[in-house]
Amino acid sequence: MARYPPPSLPPPPLSPLTHCEGLEQTNNGSDGDDFDPMYVVGVSLAALSALISSVALLIMKRSADTEAGLPLRPSCTHRWRRLWWLGFLMNTGSEVSLSVVALGMAPISVIAPIFGLAIVFSAVLARLGWVPGVKESLSRAEWASIVVIVVGIGLCSAFGPSTEHEIAFEDIGKFFGRASFLGYACPAAAFVLFWVAVLLPRSPLLWLRPGSRSVTLSICASAASGIAGAFSIVFSKIFSEAIIHRWLGKGDTSVFSDGVARPRRGSTVTLHAPWTYT
């Protein structure tokens, strides 16, 4: 007579506490790890950098009003645009220091919208007159636009594109050769270079330049600036990964000799990493 194994018992039901913990981990997209305070530090540094850049741009605007016609080159014998250089150095200093560090502490999908706060800071600072010599009034429509921008920044940071996969540093180079990237980068770079050439003081394309108060000039110059800024943020993220995490964090000096190279054999993609490319 054949013997059959006894029927297996069903698994015990989950306790309410275990079930709630599983739902919480699923909703958060994590394995129950503690919240990383460096994430908040990165967002705070990005907001501080946007504030400093706003002050710097208002100082440069003041220079355009009071130092128009003066040379940019510093000199001991004649007047030059001191305010312009002050704003330029403030803006550059915040971008190469605070912005780069912030990009190394939080995903780019969160940090990039935070940089958009510079528009809000510039409008509010100009309205309050906290930068000497720069004071402007804002209409109700402009205040409503500021509210829309703030809401948009919050939505982009909270629900923007993200991924749980971290791209290994050795694998970044292969993405630059993809048709999808080149199909966007080449026309975008051509558009930016075209408008830079049009806006040069002694450009041969001067006859194509719209009027100084033209809406077309404002829209196209803003679009070119936004495209250049997008590329700048992406490459700053790569630079931050190379310097902060690879060189300073791991002592890997190959980033200076190899740069962003083609993927090596055995390179892997890390899952659920604290620093994510998006």
Side-chain angles (χ1 to χ4, degrees), residues 108-141:
I108 192 173
S109 59
V110 175
I111 295 298
I114 298 298
F115 289 144
L117 288 174
I119 302 175
V120 178
F121 290 150
S122 298
V124 174
L125 290 174
R127 174 63 180 85
L128 298 176
W130 285 2
V131 176
V134 179
K135 186 173 177 62
E136 299 179 357
S137 59
L138 296 176
S139 63
R140 293 183 178 179

PDB file of all heavy atoms in Angstrom, residues 108-141:
ATOM      1  N   ILE A 108      18.712  63.888  -8.933  1.00  0.00           N
ATOM      2  CA  ILE A 108      18.611  65.059  -9.790  1.00  0.00           C
ATOM      3  C   ILE A 108      17.153  65.415 -10.070  1.00  0.00           C
ATOM      4  O   ILE A 108      16.827  66.586 -10.311  1.00  0.00           O
ATOM      5  CB  ILE A 108      19.380  64.816 -11.102  1.00  0.00           C
ATOM      6  CG1 ILE A 108      19.549  66.122 -11.882  1.00  0.00           C
ATOM      7  CG2 ILE A 108      18.695  63.768 -11.941  1.00  0.00           C
ATOM      8  CD1 ILE A 108      20.432  65.976 -13.101  1.00  0.00           C
ATOM      9  N   SER A 109      16.254  64.438 -10.037  1.00  0.00           N
ATOM     10  CA  SER A 109      14.835  64.714 -10.265  1.00  0.00           C
ATOM     11  C   SER A 109      14.238  65.558  -9.151  1.00  0.00           C
ATOM     12  O   SER A 109      13.197  66.195  -9.337  1.00  0.00           O
ATOM     13  CB  SER A 109      14.053  63.403 -10.381  1.00  0.00           C
ATOM     14  OG  SER A 109      14.199  62.623  -9.203  1.00  0.00           O
ATOM     15  N   VAL A 110      14.882  65.588  -7.992  1.00  0.00           N
ATOM     16  CA  VAL A 110      14.430  66.423  -6.880  1.00  0.00           C
ATOM     17  C   VAL A 110      15.181  67.746  -6.858  1.00  0.00           C
ATOM     18  O   VAL A 110      14.590  68.819  -6.649  1.00  0.00           O
ATOM     19  CB  VAL A 110      14.627  65.681  -5.541  1.00  0.00           C
ATOM     20  CG1 VAL A 110      14.273  66.575  -4.360  1.00  0.00           C
ATOM     21  CG2 VAL A 110      13.776  64.421  -5.513  1.00  0.00           C
ATOM     22  N   ILE A 111      16.490  67.701  -7.097  1.00  0.00           N
ATOM     23  CA  ILE A 111      17.309  68.904  -6.995  1.00  0.00           C
ATOM     24  C   ILE A 111      17.030  69.873  -8.137  1.00  0.00           C
ATOM     25  O   ILE A 111      16.970  71.091  -7.934  1.00  0.00           O
ATOM     26  CB  ILE A 111      18.798  68.530  -6.957  1.00  0.00           C
ATOM     27  CG1 ILE A 111      19.102  67.735  -5.689  1.00  0.00           C
ATOM     28  CG2 ILE A 111      19.673  69.766  -6.999  1.00  0.00           C
ATOM     29  CD1 ILE A 111      18.847  68.474  -4.408  1.00  0.00           C
ATOM     30  N   ALA A 112      16.853  69.366  -9.356  1.00  0.00           N
ATOM     31  CA  ALA A 112      16.663  70.251 -10.512  1.00  0.00           C
ATOM     32  C   ALA A 112      15.457  71.179 -10.347  1.00  0.00           C
ATOM     33  O   ALA A 112      15.579  72.382 -10.614  1.00  0.00           O
ATOM     34  CB  ALA A 112      16.551  69.419 -11.786  1.00  0.00           C
ATOM     35  N   PRO A 113      14.283  70.688  -9.924  1.00  0.00           N
ATOM     36  CA  PRO A 113      13.176  71.640  -9.723  1.00  0.00           C
ATOM     37  C   PRO A 113      13.446  72.656  -8.616  1.00  0.00           C
ATOM     38  O   PRO A 113      12.950  73.782  -8.687  1.00  0.00           O
ATOM     39  CB  PRO A 113      11.990  70.735  -9.355  1.00  0.00           C
ATOM     40  CG  PRO A 113      12.336  69.407  -9.912  1.00  0.00           C
ATOM     41  CD  PRO A 113      13.820  69.301  -9.776  1.00  0.00           C
ATOM     42  N   ILE A 114      14.223  72.277  -7.593  1.00  0.00           N
ATOM     43  CA  ILE A 114      14.519  73.216  -6.510  1.00  0.00           C
ATOM     44  C   ILE A 114      15.279  74.423  -7.047  1.00  0.00           C
ATOM     45  O   ILE A 114      15.088  75.557  -6.584  1.00  0.00           O
ATOM     46  CB  ILE A 114      15.318  72.518  -5.399  1.00  0.00           C
ATOM     47  CG1 ILE A 114      14.496  71.371  -4.790  1.00  0.00           C
ATOM     48  CG2 ILE A 114      15.717  73.502  -4.317  1.00  0.00           C
ATOM     49  CD1 ILE A 114      13.214  71.808  -4.141  1.00  0.00           C
ATOM     50  N   PHE A 115      16.145  74.202  -8.041  1.00  0.00           N
ATOM     51  CA  PHE A 115      16.862  75.328  -8.629  1.00  0.00           C
ATOM     52  C   PHE A 115      15.903  76.321  -9.276  1.00  0.00           C
ATOM     53  O   PHE A 115      16.249  77.494  -9.459  1.00  0.00           O
ATOM     54  CB  PHE A 115      17.870  74.824  -9.665  1.00  0.00           C
ATOM     55  CG  PHE A 115      19.045  74.107  -9.059  1.00  0.00           C
ATOM     56  CD1 PHE A 115      19.615  73.018  -9.703  1.00  0.00           C
ATOM     57  CD2 PHE A 115      19.573  74.500  -7.848  1.00  0.00           C
ATOM     58  CE1 PHE A 115      20.698  72.354  -9.150  1.00  0.00           C
ATOM     59  CE2 PHE A 115      20.652  73.839  -7.278  1.00  0.00           C
ATOM     60  CZ  PHE A 115      21.221  72.765  -7.926  1.00  0.00           C
ATOM     61  N   GLY A 116      14.705  75.871  -9.632  1.00  0.00           N
ATOM     62  CA  GLY A 116      13.711  76.775 -10.190  1.00  0.00           C
ATOM     63  C   GLY A 116      13.200  77.806  -9.204  1.00  0.00           C
ATOM     64  O   GLY A 116      12.548  78.780  -9.603  1.00  0.00           O
ATOM     65  N   LEU A 117      13.505  77.615  -7.917  1.00  0.00           N
ATOM     66  CA  LEU A 117      13.127  78.612  -6.920  1.00  0.00           C
ATOM     67  C   LEU A 117      13.837  79.942  -7.136  1.00  0.00           C
ATOM     68  O   LEU A 117      13.428  80.955  -6.564  1.00  0.00           O
ATOM     69  CB  LEU A 117      13.433  78.094  -5.510  1.00  0.00           C
ATOM     70  CG  LEU A 117      12.524  76.990  -4.963  1.00  0.00           C
ATOM     71  CD1 LEU A 117      13.059  76.492  -3.630  1.00  0.00           C
ATOM     72  CD2 LEU A 117      11.108  77.502  -4.810  1.00  0.00           C
ATOM     73  N   ALA A 118      14.892  79.943  -7.933  1.00  0.00           N
ATOM     74  CA  ALA A 118      15.596  81.202  -8.204  1.00  0.00           C
ATOM     75  C   ALA A 118      14.658  82.229  -8.827  1.00  0.00           C
ATOM     76  O   ALA A 118      14.777  83.432  -8.562  1.00  0.00           O
ATOM     77  CB  ALA A 118      16.796  80.940  -9.117  1.00  0.00           C
ATOM     78  N   ILE A 119      13.704  81.777  -9.651  1.00  0.00           N
ATOM     79  CA  ILE A 119      12.735  82.698 -10.251  1.00  0.00           C
ATOM     80  C   ILE A 119      11.866  83.318  -9.168  1.00  0.00           C
ATOM     81  O   ILE A 119      11.614  84.535  -9.156  1.00  0.00           O
ATOM     82  CB  ILE A 119      11.868  81.952 -11.278  1.00  0.00           C
ATOM     83  CG1 ILE A 119      12.746  81.332 -12.361  1.00  0.00           C
ATOM     84  CG2 ILE A 119      10.830  82.878 -11.892  1.00  0.00           C
ATOM     85  CD1 ILE A 119      11.989  80.474 -13.339  1.00  0.00           C
ATOM     86  N   VAL A 120      11.436  82.506  -8.223  1.00  0.00           N
ATOM     87  CA  VAL A 120      10.597  83.004  -7.139  1.00  0.00           C
ATOM     88  C   VAL A 120      11.394  83.945  -6.248  1.00  0.00           C
ATOM     89  O   VAL A 120      10.924  85.044  -5.881  1.00  0.00           O
ATOM     90  CB  VAL A 120      10.035  81.828  -6.323  1.00  0.00           C
ATOM     91  CG1 VAL A 120       9.193  82.327  -5.160  1.00  0.00           C
ATOM     92  CG2 VAL A 120       9.228  80.905  -7.222  1.00  0.00           C
ATOM     93  N   PHE A 121      12.605  83.567  -5.880  1.00  0.00           N
ATOM     94  CA  PHE A 121      13.432  84.410  -5.029  1.00  0.00           C
ATOM     95  C   PHE A 121      13.711  85.762  -5.693  1.00  0.00           C
ATOM     96  O   PHE A 121      13.666  86.809  -5.030  1.00  0.00           O
ATOM     97  CB  PHE A 121      14.750  83.704  -4.711  1.00  0.00           C
ATOM     98  CG  PHE A 121      14.605  82.517  -3.803  1.00  0.00           C
ATOM     99  CD1 PHE A 121      15.488  81.437  -3.886  1.00  0.00           C
ATOM    100  CD2 PHE A 121      13.596  82.459  -2.862  1.00  0.00           C
ATOM    101  CE1 PHE A 121      15.353  80.342  -3.052  1.00  0.00           C
ATOM    102  CE2 PHE A 121      13.456  81.359  -2.021  1.00  0.00           C
ATOM    103  CZ  PHE A 121      14.330  80.299  -2.122  1.00  0.00           C
ATOM    104  N   SER A 122      14.000  85.754  -6.987  1.00  0.00           N
ATOM    105  CA  SER A 122      14.300  87.004  -7.687  1.00  0.00           C
ATOM    106  C   SER A 122      13.104  87.945  -7.661  1.00  0.00           C
ATOM    107  O   SER A 122      13.257  89.150  -7.406  1.00  0.00           O
ATOM    108  CB  SER A 122      14.707  86.706  -9.136  1.00  0.00           C
ATOM    109  OG  SER A 122      15.879  85.932  -9.190  1.00  0.00           O
ATOM    110  N   ALA A 123      11.905  87.401  -7.918  1.00  0.00           N
ATOM    111  CA  ALA A 123      10.710  88.245  -7.925  1.00  0.00           C
ATOM    112  C   ALA A 123      10.407  88.805  -6.539  1.00  0.00           C
ATOM    113  O   ALA A 123      10.093  90.001  -6.389  1.00  0.00           O
ATOM    114  CB  ALA A 123       9.518  87.444  -8.455  1.00  0.00           C
ATOM    115  N   VAL A 124      10.511  87.965  -5.515  1.00  0.00           N
ATOM    116  CA  VAL A 124      10.192  88.414  -4.157  1.00  0.00           C
ATOM    117  C   VAL A 124      11.234  89.416  -3.657  1.00  0.00           C
ATOM    118  O   VAL A 124      10.888  90.444  -3.049  1.00  0.00           O
ATOM    119  CB  VAL A 124      10.086  87.201  -3.218  1.00  0.00           C
ATOM    120  CG1 VAL A 124       9.899  87.659  -1.773  1.00  0.00           C
ATOM    121  CG2 VAL A 124       8.936  86.295  -3.637  1.00  0.00           C
ATOM    122  N   LEU A 125      12.510  89.141  -3.913  1.00  0.00           N
ATOM    123  CA  LEU A 125      13.550  90.069  -3.473  1.00  0.00           C
ATOM    124  C   LEU A 125      13.432  91.415  -4.175  1.00  0.00           C
ATOM    125  O   LEU A 125      13.649  92.475  -3.561  1.00  0.00           O
ATOM    126  CB  LEU A 125      14.927  89.455  -3.746  1.00  0.00           C
ATOM    127  CG  LEU A 125      15.329  88.266  -2.874  1.00  0.00           C
ATOM    128  CD1 LEU A 125      16.648  87.675  -3.351  1.00  0.00           C
ATOM    129  CD2 LEU A 125      15.437  88.678  -1.409  1.00  0.00           C
ATOM    130  N   ALA A 126      13.092  91.393  -5.468  1.00  0.00           N
ATOM    131  CA  ALA A 126      12.904  92.649  -6.192  1.00  0.00           C
ATOM    132  C   ALA A 126      11.700  93.411  -5.659  1.00  0.00           C
ATOM    133  O   ALA A 126      11.709  94.651  -5.606  1.00  0.00           O
ATOM    134  CB  ALA A 126      12.747  92.373  -7.679  1.00  0.00           C
ATOM    135  N   ARG A 127      10.659  92.692  -5.269  1.00  0.00           N
ATOM    136  CA  ARG A 127       9.469  93.350  -4.712  1.00  0.00           C
ATOM    137  C   ARG A 127       9.764  93.961  -3.347  1.00  0.00           C
ATOM    138  O   ARG A 127       9.337  95.081  -3.042  1.00  0.00           O
ATOM    139  CB  ARG A 127       8.328  92.339  -4.602  1.00  0.00           C
ATOM    140  CG  ARG A 127       7.088  92.869  -3.894  1.00  0.00           C
ATOM    141  CD  ARG A 127       6.475  94.017  -4.671  1.00  0.00           C
ATOM    142  NE  ARG A 127       5.286  94.551  -4.013  1.00  0.00           N
ATOM    143  CZ  ARG A 127       5.313  95.475  -3.047  1.00  0.00           C
ATOM    144  NH1 ARG A 127       6.487  95.977  -2.637  1.00  0.00           N
ATOM    145  NH2 ARG A 127       4.185  95.906  -2.511  1.00  0.00           N
ATOM    146  N   LEU A 128      10.527  93.259  -2.516  1.00  0.00           N
ATOM    147  CA  LEU A 128      10.836  93.758  -1.173  1.00  0.00           C
ATOM    148  C   LEU A 128      11.939  94.805  -1.183  1.00  0.00           C
ATOM    149  O   LEU A 128      12.098  95.531  -0.197  1.00  0.00           O
ATOM    150  CB  LEU A 128      11.236  92.587  -0.268  1.00  0.00           C
ATOM    151  CG  LEU A 128      10.152  91.520  -0.040  1.00  0.00           C
ATOM    152  CD1 LEU A 128      10.709  90.372   0.787  1.00  0.00           C
ATOM    153  CD2 LEU A 128       8.920  92.123   0.637  1.00  0.00           C
ATOM    154  N   GLY A 129      12.712  94.847  -2.260  1.00  0.00           N
ATOM    155  CA  GLY A 129      13.784  95.828  -2.328  1.00  0.00           C
ATOM    156  C   GLY A 129      14.954  95.526  -1.414  1.00  0.00           C
ATOM    157  O   GLY A 129      15.643  96.452  -0.969  1.00  0.00           O
ATOM    158  N   TRP A 130      15.197  94.257  -1.157  1.00  0.00           N
ATOM    159  CA  TRP A 130      16.287  93.895  -0.247  1.00  0.00           C
ATOM    160  C   TRP A 130      17.662  94.024  -0.898  1.00  0.00           C
ATOM    161  O   TRP A 130      18.665  94.040  -0.195  1.00  0.00           O
ATOM    162  CB  TRP A 130      16.077  92.469   0.259  1.00  0.00           C
ATOM    163  CG  TRP A 130      14.991  92.394   1.294  1.00  0.00           C
ATOM    164  CD1 TRP A 130      14.218  93.430   1.742  1.00  0.00           C
ATOM    165  CD2 TRP A 130      14.536  91.241   2.003  1.00  0.00           C
ATOM    166  NE1 TRP A 130      13.315  93.005   2.675  1.00  0.00           N
ATOM    167  CE2 TRP A 130      13.490  91.652   2.861  1.00  0.00           C
ATOM    168  CE3 TRP A 130      14.892  89.903   1.992  1.00  0.00           C
ATOM    169  CZ2 TRP A 130      12.817  90.779   3.696  1.00  0.00           C
ATOM    170  CZ3 TRP A 130      14.217  89.026   2.827  1.00  0.00           C
ATOM    171  CH2 TRP A 130      13.202  89.461   3.671  1.00  0.00           C
ATOM    172  N   VAL A 131      17.711  94.084  -2.234  1.00  0.00           N
ATOM    173  CA  VAL A 131      18.958  94.384  -2.921  1.00  0.00           C
ATOM    174  C   VAL A 131      18.966  95.882  -3.206  1.00  0.00           C
ATOM    175  O   VAL A 131      18.083  96.377  -3.914  1.00  0.00           O
ATOM    176  CB  VAL A 131      19.086  93.581  -4.229  1.00  0.00           C
ATOM    177  CG1 VAL A 131      20.360  93.975  -4.985  1.00  0.00           C
ATOM    178  CG2 VAL A 131      19.101  92.088  -3.932  1.00  0.00           C
ATOM    179  N   PRO A 132      19.900  96.637  -2.655  1.00  0.00           N
ATOM    180  CA  PRO A 132      19.873  98.102  -2.801  1.00  0.00           C
ATOM    181  C   PRO A 132      19.815  98.533  -4.261  1.00  0.00           C
ATOM    182  O   PRO A 132      20.571  98.065  -5.098  1.00  0.00           O
ATOM    183  CB  PRO A 132      21.194  98.538  -2.150  1.00  0.00           C
ATOM    184  CG  PRO A 132      21.527  97.442  -1.188  1.00  0.00           C
ATOM    185  CD  PRO A 132      21.035  96.176  -1.826  1.00  0.00           C
ATOM    186  N   GLY A 133      18.879  99.414  -4.540  1.00  0.00           N
ATOM    187  CA  GLY A 133      18.736  99.950  -5.884  1.00  0.00           C
ATOM    188  C   GLY A 133      17.806  99.176  -6.783  1.00  0.00           C
ATOM    189  O   GLY A 133      17.529  99.617  -7.901  1.00  0.00           O
ATOM    190  N   VAL A 134      17.320  98.014  -6.342  1.00  0.00           N
ATOM    191  CA  VAL A 134      16.428  97.183  -7.165  1.00  0.00           C
ATOM    192  C   VAL A 134      15.130  96.984  -6.404  1.00  0.00           C
ATOM    193  O   VAL A 134      15.096  96.311  -5.372  1.00  0.00           O
ATOM    194  CB  VAL A 134      17.060  95.820  -7.503  1.00  0.00           C
ATOM    195  CG1 VAL A 134      16.099  94.989  -8.333  1.00  0.00           C
ATOM    196  CG2 VAL A 134      18.378  96.003  -8.222  1.00  0.00           C
ATOM    197  N   LYS A 135      14.072  97.611  -6.890  1.00  0.00           N
ATOM    198  CA  LYS A 135      12.754  97.470  -6.267  1.00  0.00           C
ATOM    199  C   LYS A 135      11.701  97.559  -7.362  1.00  0.00           C
ATOM    200  O   LYS A 135      11.660  98.543  -8.101  1.00  0.00           O
ATOM    201  CB  LYS A 135      12.510  98.550  -5.212  1.00  0.00           C
ATOM    202  CG  LYS A 135      11.207  98.355  -4.431  1.00  0.00           C
ATOM    203  CD  LYS A 135      11.090  99.342  -3.299  1.00  0.00           C
ATOM    204  CE  LYS A 135       9.755  99.193  -2.563  1.00  0.00           C
ATOM    205  NZ  LYS A 135       9.612  97.851  -1.940  1.00  0.00           N
ATOM    206  N   GLU A 136      10.890  96.541  -7.465  1.00  0.00           N
ATOM    207  CA  GLU A 136       9.854  96.473  -8.485  1.00  0.00           C
ATOM    208  C   GLU A 136       8.545  96.053  -7.838  1.00  0.00           C
ATOM    209  O   GLU A 136       8.530  95.415  -6.779  1.00  0.00           O
ATOM    210  CB  GLU A 136      10.243  95.477  -9.588  1.00  0.00           C
ATOM    211  CG  GLU A 136      11.528  95.832 -10.326  1.00  0.00           C
ATOM    212  CD  GLU A 136      11.887  94.813 -11.388  1.00  0.00           C
ATOM    213  OE1 GLU A 136      11.154  93.806 -11.497  1.00  0.00           O
ATOM    214  OE2 GLU A 136      12.892  95.011 -12.085  1.00  0.00           O
ATOM    215  N   SER A 137       7.460  96.418  -8.487  1.00  0.00           N
ATOM    216  CA  SER A 137       6.135  96.033  -8.005  1.00  0.00           C
ATOM    217  C   SER A 137       5.648  94.815  -8.778  1.00  0.00           C
ATOM    218  O   SER A 137       6.035  94.592  -9.926  1.00  0.00           O
ATOM    219  CB  SER A 137       5.143  97.195  -8.192  1.00  0.00           C
ATOM    220  OG  SER A 137       5.056  97.555  -9.555  1.00  0.00           O
ATOM    221  N   LEU A 138       4.800  94.029  -8.136  1.00  0.00           N
ATOM    222  CA  LEU A 138       4.248  92.823  -8.741  1.00  0.00           C
ATOM    223  C   LEU A 138       2.733  92.932  -8.786  1.00  0.00           C
ATOM    224  O   LEU A 138       2.095  93.307  -7.789  1.00  0.00           O
ATOM    225  CB  LEU A 138       4.653  91.576  -7.949  1.00  0.00           C
ATOM    226  CG  LEU A 138       6.151  91.247  -7.893  1.00  0.00           C
ATOM    227  CD1 LEU A 138       6.382  90.035  -6.990  1.00  0.00           C
ATOM    228  CD2 LEU A 138       6.698  90.982  -9.283  1.00  0.00           C
ATOM    229  N   SER A 139       2.173  92.609  -9.927  1.00  0.00           N
ATOM    230  CA  SER A 139       0.721  92.619 -10.067  1.00  0.00           C
ATOM    231  C   SER A 139       0.128  91.334  -9.498  1.00  0.00           C
ATOM    232  O   SER A 139       0.849  90.392  -9.125  1.00  0.00           O
ATOM    233  CB  SER A 139       0.346  92.771 -11.541  1.00  0.00           C
ATOM    234  OG  SER A 139       0.814  91.645 -12.284  1.00  0.00           O
ATOM    235  N   ARG A 140      -1.181  91.282  -9.441  1.00  0.00           N
ATOM    236  CA  ARG A 140      -1.845  90.068  -8.944  1.00  0.00           C
ATOM    237  C   ARG A 140      -1.559  88.886  -9.852  1.00  0.00           C
ATOM    238  O   ARG A 140      -1.396  87.753  -9.381  1.00  0.00           O
ATOM    239  CB  ARG A 140      -3.346  90.313  -8.845  1.00  0.00           C
ATOM    240  CG  ARG A 140      -3.744  91.336  -7.775  1.00  0.00           C
ATOM    241  CD  ARG A 140      -5.257  91.471  -7.694  1.00  0.00           C
ATOM    242  NE  ARG A 140      -5.649  92.405  -6.640  1.00  0.00           N
ATOM    243  CZ  ARG A 140      -6.907  92.728  -6.362  1.00  0.00           C
ATOM    244  NH1 ARG A 140      -7.908  92.176  -7.066  1.00  0.00           N
ATOM    245  NH2 ARG A 140      -7.179  93.587  -5.400  1.00  0.00           N
ATOM    246  N   ALA A 141      -1.517  89.137 -11.145  1.00  0.00           N
ATOM    247  CA  ALA A 141      -1.210  88.044 -12.070  1.00  0.00           C
ATOM    248  C   ALA A 141       0.196  87.513 -11.844  1.00  0.00           C
ATOM    249  O   ALA A 141       0.432  86.300 -11.933  1.00  0.00           O
ATOM    250  CB  ALA A 141      -1.372  88.537 -13.516  1.00  0.00           C
TER     251      ALA A 141
END
